[in-house]
Amino acid sequence: MSDTRTLTDRTSRPCPRCATPIDSDPRFTDWCPGCEWNLGARPAKGRLRQRRRARDLARVERLYATLAAEDPAAGGDRGAAWVAAMLLATLVHLVTLAVLAGSVLLLVRGYPFLQGVGLVGLGLVWLLRPRLGRWRTDAAELTREQAPALHGLVDRVAEELGVRRPDRIRITDSYNASYARIGLRRRVSLTLGLPLWTALTGPERLALLGHELGHGRNGDVRRGFWLDLALRTLEAWYHVLRPNPGDARRLRTTRKRLLDELVTWLLLWIALPVRLAHRSLYRLTALSGQRAEYRADDLAARVGSSAAAAGMLDKLFLADSVRLRVAQQRSAGQVRRPTAGGAVEEEFWTGLAAYLESVPPAERARRARIGEREMTAVDTSHPPTHLRVRLRGERPAQAAAVTADRAEWQRIADELAPARRRVARALLGI
């Protein structure tokens, strides 16, 4: 299943536009770093989208300049925007409490008709309740008994950062990692995507752990209970109130009964203030969220070293390459069946690691350039990845505060063996 090539498979040829010598690898797109011929970035279509992209780029650059000039350990999250966000979140909670109190009052003191209204109100409160997440055990969870070495390493990182150690660790098939607080008890769940874990070196894995666990102390107000609850409440309201998107589109293309049209438009207008409130609350906390991600990167550098944190961020640009590789291997794996010893699964991971190791510098630079043009980010809550990489180069160099030797990494690899087989089968579809 492996088709990785060596450096001898690469050649050099002139750029057809500017004649600059460019490295050519048959597995990847040829492009010119000088004139950006055949770069592959998707241009924004239409003047409105072009203006929006230019405006967004200017905004994130201004935000980056503001945050880059700050002391990494400085505060700054409790300004006017934070006060406005807290007031808006309080208003959201008061609305929920008002509906709940009014419904209970109607049930206790109202006439039969009003008691019916109270029951409807209670049902509405239950339906529109915020979802804080349920703590459910699934196949992705790796317990402390199953992986003592991995949990021990994560505990050391948590101790170095002075944060609560995760209550569980999950291993998934995504090229990502995440940190979440779940339920009223706000228990910590750390999720590690095995493809990303495989792509990283040992120090880069430590940097990844430092970034994710850093969310426990990086000052992101959106992860606080009050604001997080308000955001989830508004999301629940909008999810219930908004009509089916297809219904809104079909209003212009098909004839519907008058009542259906009136209900659809009514829901659209009722859901609009909820959507605006959610957008306003999100924007009021956007600066805190962006600052928190940069701080988490600073903590990643503290744990794994500055070089490891920069390397970890650079590997995020390879997400499309990983998806392409997995799709190719999935097509090849559909004609193969898993073996008792897991040979096919281990060959998949070995091939993926060798493939990522063989990605030439020109392709890595192309992916980074596309990420900069398109402002690629992990998700909407993260700053563009190229700005996170840039800031790593501007911060003072740091040595790793947490290290692991080869024997410890081998023990962790042995503990992950069952997860490697499970995830490989899911990715390969076998």
Side-chain angles (χ1 to χ4, degrees), residues 163-207:
V163 299
R164 174 179 174 177
R165 72 183 189 182
D167 296 285
R168 72 175 180 188
I169 298 176
R170 300 175 66 250
I171 307 297
T172 67
D173 61 357
S174 66
Y175 192 76
N176 200 356
S178 63
Y179 172 97
R181 293 174 177 170
I182 301 175
L184 289 174
R185 295 171 59 184
R186 311 304 285 165
R187 289 189 286 184
V188 176
S189 177
L190 175 65
T191 300
L192 301 174
L194 201 50
L196 177 59
W197 184 265
T198 301
L200 302 178
T201 64
E204 290 168 353
R205 292 171 182 173
L206 288 168

Side-chain angles (χ1 to χ4, degrees), residues 105-170:
L105 186 63
L106 290 176
L107 280 174
V108 174
R109 297 186 177 182
Y111 296 103
F113 172 76
L114 294 180
Q115 288 178 337
V117 174
L119 283 174
V120 173
L122 287 179
L124 187 63
V125 169
W126 174 257
L127 187 64
L128 300 181
R129 74 190 187 283
R131 273 67 170 179
L132 294 176
R134 292 185 178 181
W135 192 265
R136 296 175 177 174
T137 302
D138 58 18
E141 183 174 348
L142 206 58
T143 66
R144 190 169 292 272
E145 292 73 21
Q146 293 171 324
L150 176 60
H151 278 267
L153 179 64
V154 172
D155 290 348
R156 295 206 326 261
V157 174
E159 182 180 359
E160 169 63 28
L161 297 179
V163 299
R164 174 179 174 177
R165 72 183 189 182
D167 296 285
R168 72 175 180 188
I169 298 176
R170 300 175 66 250

